[in-house]
Amino acid sequence: MRRPILAALSAALLLAGAPVAAAKTLVFCSEGNPESLNPQLVTSATGIDAGRPMFDYLVEFKPGTTQLEPALAESWTISEDGRTYTFRLRDNVQFQSNDAFAPTRPLTSEDVVFSLERQWKPDHPFHSVGNSRFDYFTDIGMGELLESIEAPDERTVRIRLTRPEAPFLADLALPFNSIMSAEYAAAMMKAGTPGRVDTQPIGTGPFRLDSYMPEVAVRFRAFEGHWRGRPAIDTLVFSITPTPAARLTKLKSGECHVSAFPSPADAAQIEADPRLRLLKENGFNVGYLALNTSRPPFDDVRVRRALNYAIDKDAIIQAVFSGMATAAKNPMPPTLWGYDDEIQPYPYDPAAARRLFEEAGLTGGVSADLWYIPISRPYSPDSKRIASMIADDLETLGVRVDLKTQDWNTYRESLMQGEPDAALYGWTGDTADPDNFMSTLLSCTAARVGGNNIARWCDKRFDALVTEAKSIPDQERRTFLYKQAQRIFHDEAPWVPIAHSLFLVAIRKEVANFTIDPRGYHDFSRVDLLGGN
Amino acid sequence: MRLEPAAFGRRAFVLPHLFEDMQTAAGVARLSIANRIFLVGAIPILVATIIGIASVFLLNQADDGRRGALVVSSVYRNVVAAMSSRDAYVEAQPSDRGRHMAAFEASFVGAYKGLNTLGQTVDELAATDAIASTTASLQRYRAAMGELGVATEKNDKLVADMNKRLATLIDYTDEARARQHASNMDVVTTLKERDESLRRAQDLTVAAEAARASMADLALERAAIGSSGLLAERAATFETVRLDNAVNRYAEKLEAAGLRDEASAFRGTYRSFLSGGGHEALLGWVDRRLKIDGTAVRALHDQLGELLAYTVQANETEQATQNIAIETLKLGQSMSRAVATRSIPGIETVIGDSRDLGDEIAALPISPLIQTEMLDALNLWREALVVMKDRLAEQNAVLMRMNETAGIMIFEVSSLNNSLSRDADEVSERVRLILIGGAAIALLAASICGILVARSITKPLKRLERGMIDRAANPNAGPLVDSGRRDEIGLMARATNYFLAELGKRESALTSAKEHTEKTLEELKKTQSELIQAEKLASLGQLVAGVAHEINTPLGVALTTATVVGEEARHFRDEVAGGRVTREAFDSFVERMNEGARLINANLERSAHLVQSFKQVAADQASGERRSFRMDAFADELFTSLGPMNKRAGHQISVECDPGLEMVSYPGALAQVLTNLLSNAYVHAFAGREGGQVAVRITSRGPGWVRVQFSDNGRGIPPRDRPRIFDPFFTTGRGSGSTGLGLHIVFNLVTATLGGTIEVDSQPGRGTRFVIDLPTEAPEPQPPFDEAA
C-alpha cells in the first residue's frame, strides 16, 4: 500500500516544480445540474452529457454521425425473423474503480443483462433502488419490446424481441442503455449502499467520476484502463454555469474550453472572436408549445389550431434565435427522413385565430398557465422571452396568460405529471429515426402520467401509425406511415411547433477533435487540448 | 640487685623452650615471666601485621572498585549526554540535526569505551555480566538512533517536499484568485455591454410606443374628419406631421441599433401608408417590433439580473479564494507544529482540516482549471501527511523504545556504579571491621594474656612474700615451696631459700652474683620489660635482705643482754645464797636487771618495730595497692627498713617530714622510688667515699600536692649526663654492676603510677637534688596491663 503512494508522491514531486497545470484539464461550461449521474435515470441532455463520459454502449454512433459501429459488442448477428440479436462482447474490457469498489473481473454478459433487466423487470432488486424511474426506457417502449435477455456464456448476450423492431440497434446506443457493472451493484447491495450505483456510477467509459458538487462542478478523471486507450486529457470538468452570458465570459477568458448552448444572440460576437469557434449543426430537435389536450381550454382542437395561427413564429425566431433556427411545422426536424415537407404550416394569422376562438365560444376571455423552461436549451435558448412573446400574441385573443416556471428538474417532473395547461418544451433526438420523436413524444404510451407526452395527446390513428412504422424495417413504408401520422398531428395540433434550432457549441481554438453531436450532446471522449491550457 | 645473678642465671635454658611451650595453652603457665611478657607483647604485633597485610590487600581491592565506579560515572555521564543529544536531535531544525547526531556519536563512543575499559579492569562475574548487558543496551540504543536518523532524514525530506507542495497550492490559489479577478472584470464588461443593449432596446421601445401613439392619434383625427370637417382636417394634417416625426425618429433609432433592414422596411411600410394604405399594416409592424423589443427589454433585464447575481457570486468566490490561501498557510503552520511536537492526534486534526479545506475548495466555483490542480495538490499533500503520520508513529515507537532502553541503561549503569561503589565500601568496611575487630581481639587477647600472665606472676609472688614473711619471723620454717618452679618466682624462691640458707655468706654471694650479673647484662638489655620487672622484684629482695640484717642486731643484743641478765641473775642468786648481798650490791643488781630488762625490751621492741615496718613496706611493695597512709609514718617505716643501707658505708640520712600529710597513693611505688633514689645515691653519688649525707625533706606543697626533696652531697652529675639519667640502661656505673634502670624506674613510677613529676638539679662535686612533686591523691588504679608493666 505504501509503495504506490510513495511512487505517486515522487511522481507528483517531480511535477511540483513545474508551473501551473501540466496536466491537461478540459473545462466544459455546462448549463445546469444533471438530474442524475446515471444515464438510465435521465432524459435531459444535461443529465445525458454528465453520465456519458463514464459509460460505453454495446454499439455506438460514429462521432458526428448517426451511423452505428461496434463498441462493447465487437460483433452481432440478427436472426432472420428480426427478433433475435446475438452480441459477442469485446474481450477484457475493464471497469473503473472508486473508493468503495475495485472490480475483480472484466466486462461479461452478466453486466449487460444487469443493465437492461434493472430497467425492465419490476422485480429486479435494483429496479426500485432510490425510487428510480426509467422514463426513457419506458417511453421508448423497451419494456414491451423485450422478450428475453440471455447470457449463454461470459461474452455472449442474446436478446429476443417480442416483435421485429427497426430502431432497436440504434436504441442500444441510447444513453439509458449504458452498460453498468453488475459486480459493483452486487457489492453495493451487500454493503447496504445500493444507491451508490446511481450517485457514484461505475462504467467502462473513458472517464471515471471524481466528484460531483451541485451548482459547482462535475469532475472526471481519465480512466487509464479504457479499452480504447486512455483519453488524451487528464481531467474533464463540467463547470456548472447556468447564465449564458457568464458562460461566454468564461469561454472568452479561457476559464472554459467548451461552452454549452451559447446564446444565438451572441453567435455573431463569437464568430468574430479569433480565440473562439462556433460550431453549428442542424439539430435533431424541435422546440414546441405543448397544449394540454386532457383539459379545457386546449381539449378543443379549434382552440389549439387558433393558437397555431395566433403565434408569430418568425418574430420569435428573429428575436430569440437570432435567426439560428427554422420555423417548425412538424414534430420532427426536417433533416430526418420521413419528414413531410408538403404540409402547409399554419400562417401567422391573428384574424383566423380570432375566428376560431369565436367558433369555440371563447369570446369572453380565457386564462391559462404558460410554463417556460428555466434554462437555455438548444431548442429554446430563452424560453421566458418566447413565452412573453406568445403571451403578447395571445393577448389579442383575450387570453390572460400566467407565466410560470420551476427549477429545471422539477419543471420536467411537473410537465411529465401533466400539471401545466401549456408548456414550452422541446426534444433532441437520440437516434436518426423518426420514431425517436413521433413515438417518444406523442404516443399513447408516453401520454401516461410521468411520460414524455406533455400534451397528454393520445390519438389512436396516430398511435397505430407510429407503432406500425416502428415495427417494420422498410424505410419507404415507414416514411409513408410517418407522413400520414404527421398530417394527423398537423390537423389535431396538440402542439404549436416553434422551431428547429441550429445546435450550437462554442469552443476555444485550442480544443481539438471536438465533434458536434447532432443529437445535442457533448462528447468529450476523443477531445484533446493543443498547446496545453 | 644482689639477686640478679640468681634471677637470670637460668635464662639460657628457659628461652629455647619458649616456642615449644607456646604450642599449648597449658604451656603458658610453664613459660618464664620474660617469655610471658614477650608473648603479651608479640600478640598485638603479630595481629597488627596480619591486619596490615589483609588491609593492604583489601584496600587495593577497594581502590579498584572506586576506580571502576569512577569509570562508570563517566559512562553514566556519556549515556546521559547521548540521551540529551538525542532529544536535541529530535527537536532540532533539520539543518542542525547533523551536529546533534555527531554529539550523540561522540557520547556513544565515550560510553562504549568506558564500558570496554571497565570490562577489562573488573573481573567480578556479576559485574562483567552487568557490563555486557549495559553494552548490549547501549548498542541497541545506538542502533535505534541509527533507525531514527534514517527515518528523520526521510521525514525531513518529506516535510520539505510537503512544504513545497503547499507553496504550490498557495501559488495555485493566487492564480485562481488572479483568474477569478480577471473573470470578474470580464463579467463587468459583459454587464456594461448588456446594459447598453438594454438601453438601446428601451430606446426602441420608447420610440415605437411614441410612433404608435402618433398613429393612434392620427387615426382618431381621421375618424373625426368625417364629422367635423375642415377644422379637423387641419388638425389631421398637424397629426400627420407629428406622425411623420415619430416615424422618422423611430426609424433613426432602428438604424442606430444596427437594424438597417428593419428601418428601411419600416420606412417602406410607412410610405405605403402615406400613399393611402391602411393603417393596420403600419400598426401591425410597430406592434410586432414592440413585442420583440419589449420582450428583449425584459429578457435583458433578466440577463442583467443574472449577471449581477453572478458578479456578486464571483466576487464572493474571489474573497473565498483568498480565504483558502490563508487556510492553506494555516494548514502549513498546523502541520509544522504537529510534526515538531510529533503529535499523532495533531496530525490527524490537520488531516481532518485539510479534508475540510478540500471540501471548501471543491464547493467553490473557483476556476475549474486551477481547482483540479488545487484539489490534487491538497490530496497529495494529505496523502503525504498520512505517510508522515505513520512514519511519525513509527518514529515515536522508536523513541519510546529508546526511552525504555535508556531507562534500562541508566538503571544498569547506576546499579553498576552502585555495585562497584558498594564493593569498594564493603571492602573498606571489611578493612575497618578487621582493624577494629582485630584491634579489639588483639587488645582482648593481650589483656587476657596480660591478666593471666600478671596473675601467674603476682600469685606466686604473694605466696613468696608470705613465705618470706613467715621465714622472717621463723627462719626455721624450711625452704620456700616455689623453689621447684622453673620461672623467676622459682628463682626468687630458690634465691630466698638460698638467702635464708646463706644468710651469713652474703658478701661472698654478692661477689659471685656480680659475675653472673655481668654475664646476663647483655641479655638484660634485650629484654627491657623483663628487667624492669626484675628490678622491681630485686629491690624487694634488697629490702628483705636489709630487714633481715637489721632484725639480727637487736635480736642479738637482746639475746646477749638476756644471757648477761641470766648470768647476772645466777650470779646474784649465788650471792644471795652466799648472803653476800649488800644493799649496794642489791641496788646495783636491780639497777642492772632494770637496765638488762630495758635493753632486752628495747631491742625486742625494735625488732618488732622493724618487722612491722618491713611487713608494711614489703606488703606495699608486693601488692602495689592504692591506699591511704600518713606520709610521716610511711617515711619513718621506710627509712627504718632501709636503715642497714645507711650503716654500710657510714652514710648519714636525715628524714624530715611535715606532720599530718595524708596520702592516698601507692606506697609500694613511692617506697621503690625512695629506695632506688637512696640506692642510686649510695652507688653513684657516694661511690668510693664514706660519710655521705642524704637529706630527705617532705613538705606540703599547697593543697593536694606534696614535695619530696631528695638531696645528697655526693659528687653530682656531670651536665652532659644530666639529660640522660632517666633513660633506661644509662649508667655510669656499669662496671660496678649498675643496670641503668634504677632512675628509669623512678621516673616511670613518679610520672605514670604516682601521677607526679620529677626534676633533677645537680652540680658536679656539690651533690644532687631530686625534687618530686606528688599529688596527695594518686591517679585511679591503672589497668592491670600497665600495672603489670
Side-chain angles (χ1 to χ4, degrees):
Chain A
M1 192 60 208
R2 177 170 297 172
R3 200 177 296 269
I5 286 177
L6 289 177
L9 275 179
S10 45
L13 292 171
L14 286 176
L15 295 172
V20 168
K24 281 186 181 175
T25 299
L26 185 126
V27 182
F28 168 53
C29 273
S30 68
E31 74 283 8
N33 291 325
E35 63 264 42
S36 169
L37 293 173
N38 183 350
Q40 294 177 330
L41 306 177
V42 303
T43 52
S44 78
T46 308
I48 288 166
D49 277 344
R52 180 163 180 169
M54 298 178 281
F55 293 101
D56 289 312
Y57 318 97
L58 288 175
V59 294
E60 63 184 27
F61 293 107
K62 196 174 172 189
T65 72
T66 51
Q67 282 176 284
L68 291 167
E69 59 180 17
L72 295 181
E74 61 184 12
S75 64
W76 57 88
T77 57
I78 306 170
S79 66
E80 276 187 20
D81 65 357
R83 287 175 58 200
T84 305
Y85 289 71
T86 308
F87 297 92
R88 176 76 181 158
L89 299 183
R90 198 171 289 278
D91 190 22
N92 200 26
V93 172
Q94 299 300 319
F95 277 104
Q96 299 145 10
S97 57
N98 64 19
D99 293 345
F101 171 74
T104 63
R105 58 165 178 80
L107 171 79
T108 68
S109 49
E110 190 197 342
D111 299 310
V112 179
V113 173
F114 167 77
S115 303
L116 293 174
E117 285 196 340
R118 179 192 181 189
Q119 304 180 80
W120 180 30
K121 298 199 165 164
D123 58 348
H124 190 277
F126 272 86
H127 190 76
S128 54
V129 164
N131 293 323
S132 301
R133 280 194 7 221
F134 307 98
D135 289 327
Y136 208 153
F137 184 92
T138 310
D139 290 345
I140 217 167
M142 283 288 276
E144 298 87 68
L145 182 62
L146 292 171
E147 187 181 285
S148 67
I149 306 165
E150 291 163 17
D153 65 57
E154 285 201 343
R155 287 179 57 198
T156 307
V157 179
R158 190 178 298 131
I159 301 174
R160 180 137 179 94
L161 305 180
T162 52
R163 53 183 156 80
E165 171 89 350
F168 178 67
L169 212 52
D171 287 348
L172 290 179
L174 293 179
F176 69 87
N177 281 326
S178 296
I179 301 304
M180 315 260 157
S181 166
E183 191 190 7
Y184 178 48
M188 291 304 102
M189 185 62 93
K190 198 176 168 193
T193 54
R196 292 187 74 154
V197 168
D198 298 329
T199 56
Q200 290 171 291
I202 289 278
T204 61
F207 294 93
R208 61 184 171 81
L209 179 69
D210 180 284
S211 60
Y212 169 35
M213 184 69 58
E215 310 297 337
V216 180
V218 191
R219 195 176 304 273
F220 303 96
R221 305 272 186 170
F223 174 41
E224 303 288 338
H226 191 239
W227 57 276
R228 244 201 280 265
R230 179 196 196 279
I233 51 173
D234 302 302
T235 309
L236 173 64
V237 182
F238 283 22
S239 180
I240 297 165
T241 316
T243 311
R247 286 204 294 275
L248 180 59
T249 306
K250 286 167 89 169
L251 187 71
K252 283 202 241 174
S253 65
E255 289 299 303
C256 38
H257 302 95
V258 177
S259 170
F261 312 123
S263 172
D266 295 326
Q269 191 192 344
I270 294 166
E271 285 183 316
D273 192 322
R275 298 167 298 177
L276 310 180
R277 280 169 64 203
L278 184 67
L279 305 180
K280 291 181 270 191
E281 175 80 31
N282 281 315
F284 273 142
N285 64 45
V286 59
Y288 59 91
L289 174 68
L291 306 171
N292 195 333
T293 61
S294 67
R295 60 172 181 251
F298 303 124
D299 55 345
D300 187 335
V301 72
R302 289 168 299 188
V303 179
R304 301 200 297 264
R305 285 182 191 148
L307 258 64
N308 269 287
Y309 283 115
I311 292 169
D312 184 357
K313 292 181 197 171
D314 289 338
I316 291 171
I317 286 164
Q318 190 194 345
V320 180
F321 290 88
S322 299
M324 301 268 176
T326 53
K329 57 184 179 183
N330 289 331
M332 63 186 198
T335 47
L336 199 59
W337 59 267
Y339 180 81
D340 187 358
D341 205 22
E342 283 164 27
I343 287 173
Q344 288 303 307
Y346 295 97
Y348 171 52
D349 188 348
R354 213 169 287 163
R355 275 195 304 277
L356 282 168
F357 257 60
E358 282 162 9
E359 279 176 34
L362 289 178
T363 46
V366 69
S367 63
D369 294 340
L370 173 55
W371 293 44
Y372 62 89
I373 304 165
I375 59 171
S376 55
R377 310 306 301 157
Y379 45 77
S380 182
D382 187 346
S383 187
K384 186 182 182 186
R385 191 171 174 195
I386 294 174
S388 302
M389 291 175 81
I390 289 172
D392 278 1
D393 287 336
L394 297 187
E395 188 264 341
T396 60
L397 293 174
V399 179
R400 198 172 68 250
V401 174
D402 290 329
L403 296 188
K404 283 192 175 174
T405 194
Q406 278 172 318
D407 76 83
W408 177 224
N409 290 327
T410 319
Y411 182 83
R412 288 168 46 257
E413 200 67 23
S414 302
L415 261 55
M416 290 177 185
Q417 297 297 318
E419 246 178 77
D421 298 330
L424 284 166
Y425 204 43
W427 186 253
T428 300
D430 297 311
T431 64
D433 196 303
D435 179 65
N436 193 238
F437 289 86
M438 303 292 273
S439 185
T440 309
L441 304 176
L442 294 162
S443 71
C444 288
T445 312
R448 69 192 159 86
V449 170
N452 264 326
N453 190 339
I454 307 299
R456 293 288 176 267
W457 180 65
C458 178
D459 185 288
K460 299 296 176 201
R461 292 167 301 149
F462 179 92
D463 200 55
L465 287 167
V466 296
T467 304
E468 189 194 342
K470 187 198 295 211
S471 63
I472 52 173
D474 178 5
Q475 190 162 321
E476 212 170 301
R477 169 76 182 150
R478 291 182 71 197
T479 303
F480 172 75
L481 294 172
Y482 284 131
K483 284 189 174 173
Q484 279 191 300
Q486 283 170 76
R487 278 173 210 284
I488 295 170
F489 168 83
H490 180 78
D491 290 343
E492 292 299 317
W495 298 356
V496 181
I498 294 171
H500 305 292
S501 72
L502 289 179
F503 175 47
L504 301 179
V505 182
I507 65 173
R508 288 187 65 86
K509 279 273 165 58
E510 61 264 28
V511 176
N513 298 341
F514 183 85
T515 313
I516 192 160
D517 185 333
R519 297 179 297 168
Y521 302 144
H522 300 86
D523 177 11
F524 300 99
S525 58
R526 290 171 174 80
V527 169
D528 198 358
L529 282 170
L530 301 177
N533 281 329
Chain B
M1 286 271 182
R2 274 162 280 171
L3 293 181
E4 281 172 358
F8 295 104
R10 301 179 71 85
R11 183 161 171 83
F13 61 84
V14 168
L15 198 61
H17 293 278
L18 175 64
F19 294 104
E20 289 167 31
D21 293 343
M22 272 179 72
Q23 285 168 4
T24 57
V28 173
R30 297 205 300 270
L31 289 176
S32 72
I33 289 172
N35 286 343
R36 280 176 224 173
I37 289 166
F38 176 78
L39 193 61
V40 170
I43 286 170
I45 291 165
L46 192 65
V47 170
T49 308
I50 292 165
I51 289 170
I53 290 165
S55 303
V56 166
F57 174 73
L58 289 171
L59 284 171
N60 275 343
Q61 252 191 348
D63 278 357
D64 277 355
R66 275 187 226 295
R67 258 197 302 281
L70 209 60
V71 175
V72 169
S73 75
S74 102
V75 168
Y76 184 87
R77 246 193 341 272
N78 274 318
V79 166
V80 170
M83 284 164 67
S84 61
S85 292
R86 188 214 69 174
D87 290 347
Y89 175 85
V90 167
E91 278 158 23
Q93 291 296 313
S95 54
D96 285 348
R97 290 207 212 273
R99 194 158 54 82
H100 298 299
M101 184 56 106
F104 176 88
E105 205 46 40
S107 303
F108 164 77
V109 169
Y112 189 76
K113 279 189 180 160
L115 284 172
N116 261 355
T117 313
L118 210 57
Q120 282 158 10
T121 53
V122 175
D123 38 69
E124 200 179 321
L125 190 64
T128 312
D129 282 353
I131 290 162
S133 113
T134 310
T135 308
S137 297
L138 188 63
Q139 279 166 335
R140 263 207 318 281
Y141 194 68
R142 201 254 197 126
M145 185 65 185
E147 265 177 65
L148 186 68
V150 172
T152 308
E153 207 171 303
K154 273 204 289 192
N155 240 24
D156 288 347
K157 228 176 262 169
L158 188 59
V159 168
D161 291 341
M162 286 175 73
N163 284 338
K164 246 186 250 166
R165 181 159 302 287
L166 220 50
T168 314
L169 181 56
I170 288 167
D171 288 347
Y172 281 141
T173 313
D174 285 349
E175 187 180 333
R177 201 158 56 86
R179 279 176 177 273
Q180 190 66 49
H181 189 69
S183 171
N184 292 354
M185 300 314 284
D186 286 346
V187 171
V188 169
T189 308
T190 308
L191 207 58
K192 278 183 188 156
E193 284 167 10
R194 299 288 145 140
D195 189 49
E196 184 62 25
S197 305
L198 175 63
R199 202 174 44 74
R200 267 201 308 272
Q202 278 172 332
D203 284 355
L204 280 176
T205 314
V206 168
E209 272 167 356
R212 200 184 191 285
S214 297
M215 275 183 259
D217 288 350
L218 183 61
L220 281 174
E221 292 299 334
R222 278 194 183 166
I225 288 170
S227 57
S228 44
L230 194 67
L231 189 70
E233 196 168 330
R234 215 179 293 143
T237 311
F238 184 72
E239 288 303 325
T240 307
V241 173
R242 237 186 89 206
L243 176 63
D244 198 53
N245 287 343
V247 165
N248 278 331
R249 203 159 44 246
Y250 183 42
E252 281 162 18
K253 286 283 176 195
L254 284 170
E255 279 163 2
L259 299 166
R260 293 186 183 281
D261 293 350
E262 287 285 296
S264 60
F266 179 56
R267 284 185 206 276
T269 312
Y270 179 56
R271 270 193 300 274
S272 58
F273 165 74
L274 287 180
S275 57
H279 71 277
E280 288 84 2
L282 188 61
L283 198 63
W285 199 97
V286 172
D287 280 350
R288 185 179 146 271
R289 246 353 289 178
L290 266 175
K291 182 172 70 183
I292 291 171
D293 296 330
T295 55
V297 166
R298 280 199 295 277
L300 284 166
H301 262 301
D302 288 351
Q303 278 187 26
L304 273 173
E306 281 175 15
L307 272 173
L308 280 170
Y310 180 78
T311 310
V312 169
Q313 187 206 23
N315 277 312
E316 281 171 359
T317 304
E318 189 180 340
Q319 193 58 49
T321 312
Q322 180 126 26
N323 286 345
I324 282 168
I326 292 165
E327 292 289 324
T328 307
L329 286 170
K330 279 190 196 160
L331 207 57
Q333 284 168 350
S334 309
M335 181 200 80
S336 300
R337 253 200 313 280
V339 169
T341 56
R342 324 184 73 78
S343 158
I344 304 296
I347 288 183
E348 274 164 358
T349 307
V350 177
I351 289 173
D353 289 350
S354 77
R355 253 190 212 111
D356 292 348
L357 183 60
D359 291 347
E360 213 174 307
I361 292 173
L364 279 176
I366 302 173
S367 164
L369 287 170
I370 305 302
Q371 196 172 28
T372 310
E373 269 67 41
M374 286 166 80
L375 288 171
D376 285 353
L378 192 62
N379 282 341
L380 285 172
W381 184 82
R382 181 165 54 240
E383 276 162 18
L385 197 58
V386 170
V387 172
M388 167 81 73
K389 189 186 88 170
D390 293 348
R391 285 207 195 147
L392 272 187
E394 280 169 29
Q395 277 186 37
N396 283 354
V398 172
L399 285 177
M400 196 80 99
R401 210 167 68 229
M402 284 181 85
N403 287 349
E404 277 167 18
T405 309
I408 292 169
M409 210 153 57
I410 288 291
F411 177 73
E412 283 173 343
V413 174
S414 307
S415 359
L416 199 57
N417 185 36
N418 287 348
S419 117
L420 288 174
S421 309
R422 199 172 49 237
D423 284 354
D425 288 349
E426 268 174 18
V427 170
S428 303
E429 189 60 26
R430 228 175 288 149
V431 170
R432 201 167 297 131
L433 275 177
I434 287 172
L435 284 173
I436 292 170
I441 290 166
L443 191 65
L444 195 66
S447 300
I448 291 166
C449 276
I451 289 165
L452 288 174
V453 168
R455 279 217 187 123
S456 72
I457 292 168
T458 50
K459 251 192 203 159
L461 269 180
K462 278 185 182 160
R463 203 163 52 237
L464 182 66
E465 175 206 337
R466 271 195 307 275
M468 283 169 74
I469 289 165
D470 289 350
R471 288 186 183 49
N474 181 12
N476 299 324
L480 290 168
V481 288
D482 283 330
S483 62
R485 290 173 66 107
R486 288 169 62 179
D487 62 359
E488 287 83 348
I489 304 292
L491 292 180
M492 249 161 75
R494 283 194 294 277
T496 307
N497 286 348
Y498 173 79
F499 176 70
L500 286 171
E502 299 292 323
L503 209 57
K505 303 181 205 171
R506 203 172 65 237
E507 289 298 334
S508 59
L510 182 63
T511 314
S512 112
K514 265 182 186 173
E515 284 167 10
H516 283 290
T517 304
E518 273 173 5
K519 232 188 275 172
T520 53
L521 198 59
E522 292 303 308
E523 290 176 27
L524 187 68
K525 282 176 187 169
K526 293 174 197 161
T527 52
Q528 177 186 1
S529 53
E530 219 175 12
L531 284 177
I532 288 166
Q533 191 61 31
E535 179 75 14
K536 280 186 184 175
L537 294 170
S539 71
L540 191 63
Q542 190 180 13
L543 200 62
V544 172
V547 167
H549 175 79
E550 193 65 11
I551 289 170
N552 207 29
T553 307
L555 282 180
V557 171
L559 190 61
T560 311
T561 309
T563 310
V564 169
V565 168
E567 286 292 325
E568 258 321 302
R570 209 163 41 244
H571 181 70
F572 184 68
R573 189 182 60 207
D574 291 347
E575 287 277 323
V576 170
R580 294 177 295 253
V581 180
T582 61
R583 183 71 196 172
E584 203 175 286
F586 181 74
D587 287 346
S588 167
F589 173 72
V590 169
E591 186 62 33
R592 279 200 300 276
M593 276 299 127
N594 263 345
E595 180 64 19
R598 191 194 49 84
L599 207 59
I600 290 166
N601 194 47
N603 276 296
L604 285 175
E605 263 180 15
R606 181 168 164 72
S607 291
H609 177 67
L610 273 171
V611 168
Q612 186 60 40
S613 300
F614 172 71
K615 189 178 157 192
Q616 190 59 55
V617 170
D620 287 342
Q621 196 88 333
S623 74
E625 261 175 30
R626 182 173 181 272
R627 64 175 176 86
S628 65
F629 56 88
R630 286 175 61 97
M631 188 54 116
D632 46 2
F634 168 78
D636 181 40
E637 282 168 2
L638 178 68
F639 287 103
T640 305
S641 300
L642 293 175
M645 288 172 73
N646 307 343
K647 289 173 187 161
R648 213 182 318 153
H651 304 311
Q652 297 258 321
I653 181 161
S654 65
V655 178
E656 230 179 290
C657 180
D658 287 357
L661 289 175
E662 291 285 349
M663 298 290 285
V664 181
S665 190
Y666 298 92
L670 186 55
Q672 183 151 15
V673 166
L674 294 174
T675 307
N676 284 12
L677 285 178
L678 194 60
S679 162
N680 186 66
Y682 289 173
V683 173
H684 297 291
F686 306 138
R689 42 179 283 209
E690 293 184 355
Q693 293 201 338
V694 171
V696 178
R697 187 172 159 71
I698 300 170
T699 52
S700 169
R701 206 178 132 66
W705 285 89
V706 290
R707 169 166 285 182
V708 179
Q709 296 181 66
F710 189 99
S711 323
D712 66 55
N713 59 350
R715 63 182 179 185
I717 305 167
R720 68 186 148 86
D721 291 340
R722 210 170 303 145
R724 301 171 59 204
I725 57 166
F726 294 121
D727 291 353
F729 305 116
F730 177 80
T731 180
T732 52
R734 187 82 68 211
S736 56
S738 283
T739 61
L741 288 169
L743 287 182
H744 176 64
I745 290 167
V746 165
F747 183 82
N748 279 350
L749 289 173
V750 168
T751 55
T753 307
L754 300 172
T757 57
I758 182 165
E759 281 170 19
V760 64
D761 176 19
S762 177
Q763 285 178 332
R766 295 187 52 186
T768 301
R769 187 171 64 143
F770 291 93
V771 179
I772 299 166
D773 286 330
L774 295 173
T776 54
E777 284 210 23
E780 283 302 305
Q782 298 294 313
F785 216 76
D786 285 5
E787 202 184 50

